[in-house]
Amino acid sequence: MRHELLASKKKETGLSLDPRTKLALLVTIALFVLSGGGGAASKQFAPILAAVPLILLLTEKSWKGSVIYFVLYGGSYILQLWALPHLSGLPNFLVVAICGFFMRFVPGIMMGYITVRTTTVSEFVASMKKLHLPEQIIIPMSVIFRFFPTVVEEYNAIGDAMKMRGIRFGGGKASAMLEYRLVPVIMCSVKIGEELNAAALTRGLGGPVKRTNICEIGFHVQDVFFLLLCVVAFAIPIVTMITGR
């Protein structure tokens, strides 16, 4: 399992953002980039919001993730901007569908990935406590924070075991590979969910007393900047509706 999801402290890399800031960015990107809400003015602001995950990846020196994100989103944006005026019929439809899919889904997925990867469970619980959210919300979400990375680790371990046994795509063994990967992953997912729920209760997340936390969380200059960006994103459709433009 990733150390970020186990330790109460982690090695600081890139911009250190408060978990509440990351969640605000995630919600804002999902609302204005994924759903395309807010009207024409918000759609023009969407590329600025979509640049946030790229900035965070670059500050963390995650070069591979930065390149993948830039190729998927940036390539789709450039292709849609320059190729659509010269296409018609089926090619135009395919470009609109493919580019629209990547431009809407990739920013939200990448921001979610960054949020989970760079936030410890202790930081997440502490930030949710400061928001005064009920335990019925905090405990399931803290379990989710550990569930998906743990499943990914199990999937990679199963893949390595299958490679050692010569089971991989091609060679007439593709069906066997799917069977030997999917079935163990499903079984592991059920077991992991039960163990994480038990671990959450063991750590006292559902206890009646106030839980202490050694994580230091709080807003800094970079948090203020990104939160202002979220405020602007929500203000644009409101101002547009009031002015009627």
Side-chain angles (χ1 to χ4, degrees):
M1 189 184 298
R2 296 185 183 276
H3 296 290
E4 294 87 345
L5 296 166
L6 287 174
S8 58
K9 291 185 178 181
K10 64 179 183 295
K11 183 180 179 182
E12 296 294 340
T13 57
L15 288 175
S16 178
L17 297 178
D18 187 272
R20 291 165 289 182
T21 304
K22 299 174 190 176
L23 290 177
L25 287 170
L26 180 59
V27 171
T28 304
I29 291 174
L31 183 61
F32 294 102
V33 179
L34 175 60
S35 67
S42 294
K43 288 182 180 179
Q44 295 176 355
F45 191 72
I48 298 177
L49 291 173
V52 172
L54 179 61
I55 294 173
L56 297 178
L57 288 171
L58 290 174
T59 57
E60 292 177 8
K61 298 182 180 180
S62 178
W63 310 124
K64 182 179 178 180
S66 301
V67 171
I68 293 175
Y69 181 74
F70 180 78
V71 169
L72 291 178
Y73 183 86
S76 298
Y77 184 83
I78 294 173
L79 183 62
Q80 190 178 58
L81 187 65
W82 295 101
L84 283 182
H86 307 286
L87 297 175
S88 60
L90 181 60
N92 183 281
F93 172 78
L94 292 176
V95 170
V96 170
I98 295 174
C99 293
F101 176 83
F102 284 125
M103 290 176 63
R104 286 179 180 268
F105 283 90
V106 171
I109 292 173
M110 189 59 69
M111 190 64 222
Y113 166 75
I114 293 171
T115 301
V116 173
R117 196 187 72 170
T118 60
T119 306
T120 67
V121 176
S122 296
E123 287 176 340
F124 175 78
V125 172
S127 62
M128 294 300 101
K129 288 284 188 180
K130 286 185 176 292
L131 292 176
H132 303 288
L133 293 180
E135 297 282 352
Q136 291 81 357
I137 297 177
I138 296 176
I139 294 177
M141 292 186 68
S142 64
V143 171
I144 290 174
F145 258 73
R146 287 192 176 188
F147 178 77
F148 289 106
T150 307
V151 171
V152 172
E153 293 289 341
E154 290 290 338
Y155 179 81
N156 292 333
I158 293 171
D160 294 337
M162 293 302 101
K163 289 179 182 178
M164 291 177 62
R165 290 164 174 79
I167 300 175
R168 60 186 70 207
F169 282 117
K173 296 183 178 180
S175 60
M177 176 195 164
L178 292 175
E179 178 185 353
Y180 295 157
R181 280 203 179 193
L182 289 180
V183 174
V185 166
I186 293 173
M187 298 301 295
C188 287
S189 299
V190 176
K191 186 177 180 180
I192 289 170
E194 295 175 352
E195 291 178 349
L196 289 178
N197 277 297
L201 296 176
T202 302
R203 297 185 65 178
L205 294 184
V209 297
K210 184 178 180 180
R211 184 176 182 271
T212 59
N213 199 307
I214 63 174
C215 293
E216 297 181 2
I217 62 172
F219 296 112
H220 301 87
V221 175
Q222 58 270 26
D223 292 286
V224 175
F225 173 79
F226 284 112
L227 288 174
L228 285 175
L229 191 66
C230 296
V231 171
V232 171
F234 281 93
I236 288 176
I238 297 176
V239 173
T240 302
M241 181 178 62
I242 294 175
T243 58
R245 295 181 181 180

